[in-house]
Amino acid sequence: MPDKAPLSTEEMYMQRCIQLAQLGQGMVAPNPMVGSVLVYQDQIIGEGYHQQYGQPHAEVNCINSVSEADKGLISQSTLYVSLEPCAHFGKTPPCADLIIKHQIPKVIIGCRDPFEAVNGKGIDKLLAAGVDVTVGILEEECKILNKRFFTFHTKKRPYIVLKWAETANRFIGNDTQERLLISSETTNKLVHKWRSEEAAILVGTNTALLDNPSLTNRLWTGKQPIRLVIDKLLSLPKSLNIFDNKQLTIVFNLVKHEEELNLIYYKLEENAPLLQQIMDACYQLNIQSILVEGGNKTLQSFIDNELWDEARVITNTQLTIEKGVPSPILFNARNSSATKIGNELITYNS
């Protein structure tokens, strides 16, 4: 294969924006991760990223980071930002207004913001003020950075990550009620890291009942995911760990719509497609991403309905059982890669 072409100067600065943006992972949702740098004559004089939901955006932090000695250079510099500056009042004022206020003459943007309140309006506002605007530098990389955000706003549903652990001969559990331990302590920590990166985690009725999971990221730092459970007939006992009131739990069911402390019973329609209703509900609830952890029936439903974006499969290559609950059958995966941790092979599919 031919070597990749070296990055242009503009691409190098945009790459730095992406690196900065990634520092906000897990902290800014449902907002996107955004990074920004301010460049004067090929020297970075300011850097910033969106650090926390509800707090200043990347452009604000970037401009505020400029030293007193360099503040006079702001109006002669080029601002790089990985995502289109906002043009509306939300938790914070519009970043486009801030750029105009500081008379920054040139802005280079990675990609447009698909959110309806922005989506070109920030660019238009800058152009109307006479700012020289370039859009599309490392565009694909900038979109991948915020794949959850883009999926949510373009497909009107959460970004779906499927996850399961299986034996070498493709079983995810025993055919008895005894729990089968497949993953090691190391990969369990990795799964908890994955949980901290998503807005919510979902399981079906049988997994909640038989495994009695807490569905937390207690083995990792970061924000706890919202717990989503499918329990059509509300048959799950309140003694389960998911009903400990320590984290918001939403129970999708066909019986009632009711709210308690950290608990929502979300009633679905009986004669409408279940998963699509859950996707619609999560869109309305502003849940941008879901880690689906089981069980087989729930995972296979997402696959069969082509409602998934990634699938992560942990295979214990040294463990086999004679019979049990078969693994989901994944089809239409376009790309895959794998890493090995001890006896476990982790396959990433998209």
Side-chain angles (χ1 to χ4, degrees):
M1 290 180 62
D3 293 336
K4 289 182 69 174
L7 295 178
S8 68
T9 300
E10 289 184 342
E11 289 172 337
M12 284 192 292
Y13 289 129
M14 191 58 67
Q15 185 64 52
R16 178 57 182 160
C17 290
I18 293 171
Q19 290 172 347
L20 289 166
Q22 289 170 331
L23 298 175
Q25 186 169 29
M27 305 301 293
V28 300
N31 282 355
M33 294 178 283
V34 184
S36 181
V37 298
L38 191 65
V39 180
Y40 174 75
Q41 293 186 355
D42 265 346
Q43 293 291 322
I44 293 177
I45 62 170
E47 290 189 337
Y49 67 97
H50 186 28
Q51 299 177 15
Q52 186 90 34
Y53 175 68
Q55 293 186 7
H57 289 184
E59 299 93 323
V60 178
N61 290 329
C62 177
I63 291 170
N64 287 344
S65 76
V66 177
S67 68
E68 284 297 325
D70 288 338
K71 286 197 184 301
L73 303 177
I74 294 176
S75 62
Q76 305 167 57
S77 300
T78 298
L79 182 75
Y80 289 79
V81 60
S82 56
L83 188 70
E84 176 183 1
C86 61
H88 66 295
F89 282 88
K91 295 280 185 183
T92 60
C95 291
D97 290 356
L98 181 72
I99 294 167
I100 294 166
K101 174 187 171 184
H102 283 277
Q103 299 180 320
I104 296 172
K106 186 172 184 176
V107 176
I108 296 177
I109 299 167
C111 61
R112 280 174 62 134
D113 187 332
F115 181 42
E116 288 178 355
V118 186
N119 200 6
K121 297 181 180 70
I123 293 168
D124 289 345
K125 183 175 273 195
L126 293 175
L127 290 171
V131 179
D132 181 359
V133 179
T134 299
V135 184
I137 303 301
L138 294 188
E139 182 174 17
E140 195 58 32
E141 290 87 340
C142 289
K143 287 181 177 179
I144 291 171
L145 169 71
N146 284 304
K147 55 193 176 183
R148 293 162 179 80
F149 181 80
F150 272 80
T151 296
F152 185 79
H153 287 290
T154 59
K155 296 185 178 181
K156 310 299 183 187
R157 66 161 175 81
Y159 186 89
I160 303 297
V161 180
L162 309 180
K163 169 264 166 185
W164 68 86
E166 63 182 22
T167 65
N169 57 341
R170 306 206 69 248
F171 290 102
I172 64 170
N174 286 309
D175 57 357
T176 65
Q177 292 193 4
E178 183 182 355
R179 189 171 183 182
L180 177 64
L181 298 177
I182 298 175
S183 305
S184 68
E185 184 178 338
T186 301
T187 50
N188 282 339
K189 286 182 179 179
L190 177 61
V191 169
H192 283 231
K193 177 179 183 291
W194 292 346
R195 289 178 177 180
S196 74
E197 294 168 352
E198 309 306 336
I201 177 171
L202 181 145
V203 295
T205 308
N206 287 339
T207 298
L209 182 63
L210 299 178
D211 292 352
N212 192 19
S214 296
L215 301 183
T216 65
N217 57 329
R218 61 195 175 278
L219 302 180
W220 198 261
T221 57
K223 191 176 179 183
Q224 295 287 348
I226 297 169
R227 300 182 290 200
L228 309 177
V229 186
I230 301 172
D231 183 14
K232 293 181 186 178
L233 302 179
L234 296 183
S235 60
L236 292 173
K238 292 294 287 288
S239 58
L240 294 177
N241 291 330
I242 55 170
F243 297 120
D244 60 11
N245 292 326
K246 292 180 179 178
Q247 177 62 23
L248 177 61
T249 301
I250 301 173
V251 182
F252 294 109
N253 70 94
L254 302 175
V255 180
K256 66 179 180 179
H257 197 106
E258 193 175 282
E259 294 191 21
E260 300 176 13
L261 175 65
N262 268 341
L263 179 61
I264 298 173
Y265 291 98
Y266 197 104
K267 188 174 185 296
L268 304 175
E269 297 299 322
E270 192 163 358
N271 297 319
L274 182 76
L275 287 190
Q276 189 56 56
Q277 288 190 81
I278 292 174
M279 294 297 96
D280 293 343
C282 289
Y283 181 75
Q284 296 300 323
L285 293 166
N286 209 18
I287 296 173
Q288 284 195 3
S289 63
I290 301 173
L291 181 66
V292 182
E293 287 206 26
N296 173 285
K297 182 180 177 182
T298 301
L299 287 160
Q300 195 64 55
S301 294
F302 276 90
I303 295 168
D304 292 346
N305 285 277
E306 298 186 346
L307 280 173
W308 66 280
D309 300 285
E310 291 183 44
R312 302 170 186 174
V313 183
I314 301 168
T315 304
N316 187 327
T317 60
Q318 299 297 310
L319 176 65
T320 60
I321 58 175
E322 288 188 12
K323 58 181 180 176
V325 180
S327 300
I329 299 172
L330 188 67
F331 54 87
N332 287 345
R334 298 177 302 278
N335 304 300
S336 67
S337 60
T339 58
K340 205 160 189 309
I341 300 177
N343 293 329
E344 292 164 300
L345 183 70
I346 304 172
T347 307
Y348 299 86
N349 303 277
S350 61

